[in-house]
Amino acid sequence: MLAEAALVLGVWLQLAAGQEAPGQGPQPSISSSEGDILFLLDSSGSVSYYEFSKVKEFMWDLVRPFTFGPNDVQTSIIHISTTPTMEFPFDRYLSRGTVQQAIRNTQQLMGDTNTGKALSFAKEKLFSNDAGARPDVPKVLVWVTDGFSSDDISEPMQLLKDMGVTVFIVSTGRGNYLELSAAASQPPEKHLHFVDVDDLPIITKELRDAMLDVIQANRLRVVDITSSSFRLTWPQLLSQETGYYTLQYAPTDDLAAKRTTQVSGAHTSLTLSNLAPETTYEVALVPESNIHYFPPQTIRVTTLTEEISPAQVLISDSRPHSFQVSWAPTPDSVTSYQVLYGPLRGDSAQLLEVDGTHNSTVVENLAPNTTYLVTVTAIYSSGKEKSLSAKACTQEEGSKVRHLRFEDMGSNTLKASWDAADGKVLGYRVRCRRQTGPSSLISVSPQIHSVLLTDMAPGTTNKVCVKSMYKDQPSKGLCRTVRIQPATEAPGYKHRQRA
């Protein structure tokens, strides 16, 4: 721990003295970029001081080549904690030196990991004049996470992306790939990174280059590329009253197949869909203004290889009468999914229809302690079908509780906790057989998963059993022995003997 603290202190002392960190040479200045970059920084208690310091070092290394200013790059930080907090507004620090000092002075807040709440807060600040944000520049969100969140992130993250924010995610922990790849902008290969906190410098240049693709000033850009679509964004050059945009696009090997569409001057983005996979398109944006001349902007975009779905089928949350089926990926070319399931030893099967935008469903009304064969079939818009199967087992009715654990509460008191049992639990019974003293039996409701056991004599070994109660019968009890540590005297002191 001391070695880690010394390493972090040494790096930041070097930066404070204007030196580069070991192994990092001077970075060339990057100009001709314009955008608001917001760091979503996990400042909760789940992050150690060492990890927090390494992430701050990574943040500065990521942005230090940029030119900061009201017509260049601006940056800010929002803390993920119990309550989200903005470290400083976008327009407060507009030079490399002041941005560096502001990042170095950022302190960890601790608290809960309420990422969803922080994302909703970020949505307000990224488009707020009071926060120093600018209305007509690209918006970039960089979320550095250890992979856990106490609340839902899917809805606020989707709202941010719908408002044109490009989302980059760096996971330094054991994050769920399906959840994070859905949260990041598309494609995830460009916008999602999994890396150990000590290896963050490995991805710095790649991530910075991807951010540069977004914040190049006054340029037609492309985001959210899939095998059959991509989204175009551009600066606000016109208004509803001053003109409109003409968009032309065609495969580079068949320019005669050019397609044209028009949108009002109020638009700053458009999604082109029903495209061919693995195809390079030539795209031109022509601003048609009745006041000023704006030159056309062009860009080349290559769609991704068509994803084959389902590539994997996962079974989770198995219970006596249900389980959840998930699959990935979910390409735009899939219109619907069919989930066929039935007992492995039997000739009956049932079918569920699932919308093509979903990647999971819950199968219910099943028999307990039974093995099922589950087949997920993707129905493509072209009429093609692709299937993949997996086995799933329901749990035995009346399954026992899991993960019985203990915590010393002091004053000869022990806290016993357990994970909820499956099925329709009516309650729990906790029996404590003490080495000295009477045994006890405590009954609690199904919503309670812990009890306090008192009168636990120091130096004794005791047996604690927990049973989940069902309508027909109790489950098998989960039992553990626990030793209560004997009372110890503080070093250097002895009890005074009475005369």
Side-chain angles (χ1 to χ4, degrees), residues 288-304:
E288 307 280 5
S289 172
N290 53 27
I291 298 177
H292 301 289
Y293 169 75
F294 293 99
Q297 300 184 40
T298 61
I299 192 171
R300 280 193 172 188
V301 188
T302 301
T303 52
L304 303 181

Side-chain angles (χ1 to χ4, degrees), residues 86-284:
M86 195 171 200
E87 181 72 14
F88 48 84
F90 287 97
D91 58 355
R92 175 170 294 175
Y93 303 113
L94 300 177
S95 68
R96 284 192 183 90
T98 56
V99 170
Q100 176 187 7
Q101 184 68 33
I103 293 176
R104 184 167 68 245
N105 291 343
T106 300
Q107 300 295 314
Q108 188 172 3
L109 300 183
M110 309 303 286
D112 296 328
T113 314
N114 291 332
T115 308
K117 188 181 293 185
L119 287 167
S120 298
F121 185 71
K123 180 173 69 70
E124 299 173 8
K125 298 303 180 183
L126 269 168
F127 298 91
S128 167
N129 290 331
D130 293 339
R134 296 165 290 180
D136 54 351
V137 300
K139 309 289 185 180
V140 172
L141 176 74
V142 181
W143 174 28
V144 185
T145 174
D146 62 0
F148 298 95
S149 176
S150 303
D151 56 355
D152 179 67
I153 67 168
S154 56
E155 183 176 347
M157 187 67 87
Q158 188 59 52
L159 286 173
L160 276 168
K161 291 188 290 185
D162 289 345
M163 295 174 73
V165 178
T166 301
V167 178
F168 295 90
I169 300 177
V170 178
S171 175
T172 62
R174 301 181 302 278
N176 182 289
Y177 175 78
L178 289 177
E179 179 179 84
L180 293 182
S181 62
S185 292
Q186 299 300 307
E189 293 81 11
K190 187 175 181 180
H191 298 85
L192 174 61
H193 297 270
F194 284 84
V195 63
D196 188 85
V197 72
D198 289 313
D199 296 326
L200 284 169
I202 294 174
I203 67 166
T204 300
K205 184 180 185 305
E206 181 182 355
L207 178 55
R208 186 192 298 128
D209 289 345
M211 292 167 61
L212 270 173
D213 289 343
V214 178
I215 61 175
Q216 291 290 342
N218 299 321
R219 176 183 278 186
L220 175 65
R221 299 181 297 109
V222 61
V223 294
D224 296 339
I225 304 173
T226 72
S227 60
S228 61
S229 67
F230 51 78
R231 184 162 62 91
L232 298 165
T233 65
W234 56 88
Q236 187 173 4
L237 305 174
L238 308 175
S239 67
Q240 184 80 31
E241 293 75 25
T242 61
Y244 60 92
Y245 298 98
T246 298
L247 270 156
Q248 301 171 339
Y249 59 101
T252 54
D253 58 358
D254 187 13
L255 295 177
K258 180 178 67 176
R259 286 180 272 182
T260 302
T261 185
Q262 291 182 344
V263 293
S264 76
H267 283 73
T268 56
S269 69
L270 179 68
T271 298
L272 302 180
S273 55
N274 298 318
L275 306 176
E278 291 186 274
T279 302
T280 300
Y281 286 85
E282 190 81 35
V283 182

